[in-house]
Amino acid sequence: MSDNFYKKLIQESPIGYAYHKIICDKDDIPCDFEFLEVNAKFEEFTKLKGVDIVGRRISEILPDITTYEIDKIKFLGDVAINGVTKEYEEFSEPYQGWFKVNVSSPEKYYFVMHFIDISKEMSQLAELQKNREKITNILNATNVGTWEWNIQTGETEFNERWAEVIGYSLEEISPISIETWRRFVHPEDFKISENQLKRVFDREINYYDVDCRMKHKDGRLVWVHDRGKVTSWTVDGKPLTMSGTHTDINGHKQTEYELANREATLKEAQRIGQMGSWSWNLKNSEVVWSDEMYNIFGIDKDSISGRLGDAISKVIYPEDLHIVQAENAVPISEKKPFEYRIIHSDNSIHHIWAKNGEVIYDELQNPVYIEGIVQDITQWKTINIELALAKKEAEVANTAKSKFLSNMSHEIRTPLNGFIGMIQLLEITELTEEQKEFIDIAKKSSASLLSLINDILDYSKIEAGMMVLEMIPVDIRRILADSIDLFRFTIEKKGLIVETFIGSAIPENLMGDPFRIRQVLSNLIGNAVKYTNTGRIDITVKKVENPCNGKPKLEFAVTDTGIGIPPQKMELLFKNFSQVESSNTRIYGGTGLGLSICKGLIEKMGGEIWVESKECDGSSFYFTCILDQGTIMDDASTTCDKVLIKFPIYKLLNLLIVEDDEISMTVIKKFAQHKDWNLTVVQNGKEAVDAFDQMRFDAILMDIQMPVMDGYEATAVIRQLERKKGIHTPIIAMTAFALKGDKEKCLESGMDDYLSKPIDINDFYAMIRKWSED
Ligand code: ADP
């Protein structure tokens, strides 16, 4: 081949070509080079023209090069002098492209440069690099583990996150192979994975996609979602490489599990409560029933065809069809629960309670679903019907019982009236003391029997609904006075203080049933007196602020300082025949009917009755009643209460009579008995001292001359005893010696006052009052 041919070949080559000679300085160090030959491609790449550069040194073409590219010249010199071949990549500014440059030396001091344009490869590489970075960033951001697996060799690569998901660092689980994965995956899930991989390798499915449990470093199992794809195949069609992701889905699985659990619980609750639910998707008009809906309507889920609503229509009891149709026509906002019957698959009739039309909105407040619930209430209905029947039967039996009691009470009252009348007649005949005592007991017994019969009669009347109220004028002050009067004797005997307060705003012209109000009030006062041994009873009446339908309403309160009521017994109080303590019957008497009669009467009068009490610390019973009013309404304030009646304090007196003379003693006894005072009678000073030692007296009436111990001596001993006890008892001398100086003698001996015999009844009472009033 001719030289020309080679020259042409070089000139037209797609590879850039430049031939140079290296120039060395005096120390034989390369410092410049000269262009000997270049081809067309070189000119294109470097934008330098051969005619301009051939025969010239580089330092002439680019004067600065020896300073900034001296290392490059030395590098080229190394090739030219030492004959080594070098390769490097370089970016050309004028060409704006990348070259791969090959430098070789055909002869010492000469070197050839070949330039291949690699701009395309370089930009592909840069793109690849960018993509890789992007993927790495995404993987880091999503916290996804990655894996690459050479199926044929078993070589595997995981990223750091892969190991982190199961609690390790990559270093801890190295060396990594496919065995590493096998070691951590749960055996059951490994089988599922294997199965899926086989299907991917057989090209049955494109993706490998499993959730598997893996052993975490801390010993627990964690859920991991694994997804992958075969990325290359061998020429003979075998899978070669596969890569994929490995994601922690533990939280997600946990939520999924909780959701499933909640759904199962809801389903179970619906089954137990025989309650079904439905929802109508407003977007696609799809209606979904809960499983229990099918059970309630006796409809087979699998055999259903057509609309669910039609399936229901077929089982609705024909007579109730109109109820359902009417309800369906009601606008959603006005829907209310309703009931209808259905014929179940076994032909039995079931009662259904339904609530339709709850609208469910999405977070943007758009309506998305309409929901409703139904419940099979057959069982409940049956029980209710049975209960209603039983209640009716019980009511009939109760009315019969009440009527019987009412008849019985009437029957008993008639002979009892005759009995009481006869006792009264007997009382006015001449009787011995003993007979009088017997009559007295008979009178007391018949009175309590009569009161019991009255109670039973009232109770029966209330129970049977036969109680009729009067509508006559009501005088509150009279009612109060009469009610208290009934117990005056016991109040005095116990020495209780009773005060009444009547609100100033109580109208004068009230109408109602004064007898029944008095009955309730006297029952409460009677109880207060019965269950209070010392202290006071306050009875108040006031007008309640808000009248009931314009009618005046009064509130009564009876407050005592008695034994009180234990909290657990309070609710029993107004129940029939209940006493707080059964021992109360023995101590205080009573049947436990009183308060329940009061409750019945009060309710009949449109009021309420209640109690506030503390055991051992008194009780307050309250009741209200609604009355009618005459013409004028007194509208004064109810807050300013005024004391209307204050009862004088009649203390029960406990007297000690020291008297040895039979006749004198009988006279004093009669005087004292007339006032119902309590008497202790002894016959000499010694007995008086003994009695004083055992009991407290409000006053002592002391005879002077007595056998065993006289009045002076007895007074001295008593005063001595009193000093120890820190008390003082009035001692009144009673003596037939009315001589001058006797009174002084008595006072000197420690007595307080003096009555001379024969004792005048009025003097006696005045003397006792003088020394017993506080
Ligand atoms: P009773 O005829 O037994 O008094 P009530 O119905 O009037 O029947 O009273 C029921 C029970 O309530 C009484 O037995 C007593 O235990 C209790 N009770 C009623 N009032 C009082 C009160 N003021 N203080 C203490 N306990 C009372």
Side-chain angles (χ1 to χ4, degrees), residues 455 523-524 527-532 560 562-565 573 575 578-581 584-585 589-596 613 618-619 621:
D455 271 2
N523 201 306
L524 300 185
N527 278 348
V529 172
K530 204 194 302 185
Y531 298 109
T532 306
D560 64 51
I563 60 172
I565 301 158
L573 284 185
K575 297 216 169 112
S578 64
Q579 290 196 321
V580 168
E581 285 294 337
N584 277 0
T585 323
T591 53
L593 259 184
L595 288 177
S596 64
S613 180
S619 314
F621 281 81

Side-chain angles (χ1 to χ4, degrees), residues 455-469 513 515-517 519-521 523-524 572-577 592-610 622-626:
D455 271 2
I456 294 178
L457 190 64
D458 279 345
Y459 168 70
S460 323
K461 272 191 191 162
I462 293 169
E463 284 267 288
M466 282 155 42
M467 175 69 71
V468 183
L469 296 179
D513 191 332
F515 309 112
R516 295 304 177 186
I517 299 175
Q519 187 178 347
V520 175
L521 194 60
N523 201 306
L524 300 185
L572 288 177
L573 284 185
F574 300 102
K575 297 216 169 112
N576 305 329
F577 309 108
L593 259 184
L595 288 177
S596 64
I597 292 173
C598 289
K599 185 166 188 276
L601 291 173
I602 289 303
E603 281 170 1
K604 189 100 185 127
M605 290 190 268
E608 287 162 283
I609 184 164
W610 69 99
Y622 301 87
F623 72 89
T624 55
C625 59
I626 296 165

Side-chain angles (χ1 to χ4, degrees), residues 110-128:
Y110 293 90
F111 65 92
V112 180
M113 291 176 97
H114 288 105
F115 301 82
I116 304 168
D117 184 355
I118 55 163
S119 303
K120 215 161 151 193
E121 285 83 347
M122 285 304 266
S123 75
Q124 272 169 354
L125 202 69
E127 191 65 25
L128 215 65

Side-chain angles (χ1 to χ4, degrees), residues 382-449:
T382 319
I383 293 170
N384 260 10
I385 291 166
E386 280 166 9
L387 261 176
L389 273 175
K391 190 170 169 240
K392 204 162 187 180
E393 274 171 25
E395 275 166 8
V396 171
N398 206 28
T399 316
K401 179 204 75 186
S402 299
K403 283 207 173 121
F404 169 77
L405 279 178
S406 147
N407 289 341
M408 282 296 288
S409 314
H410 265 297
E411 291 309 306
I412 298 168
R413 264 161 82 94
T414 319
L416 193 63
N417 273 341
F419 176 61
I420 292 171
M422 285 305 124
I423 292 175
Q424 281 167 351
L425 284 175
L426 199 57
E427 206 183 6
I428 54 173
T429 63
E430 196 135 318
L431 297 169
T432 65
E433 278 304 311
E434 196 179 24
Q435 283 170 331
K436 275 186 192 160
E437 247 175 68
F438 293 161
I439 291 285
D440 198 41
I441 294 170
K443 252 170 68 186
K444 279 185 182 148
S445 305
S446 55
S448 62
L449 184 57

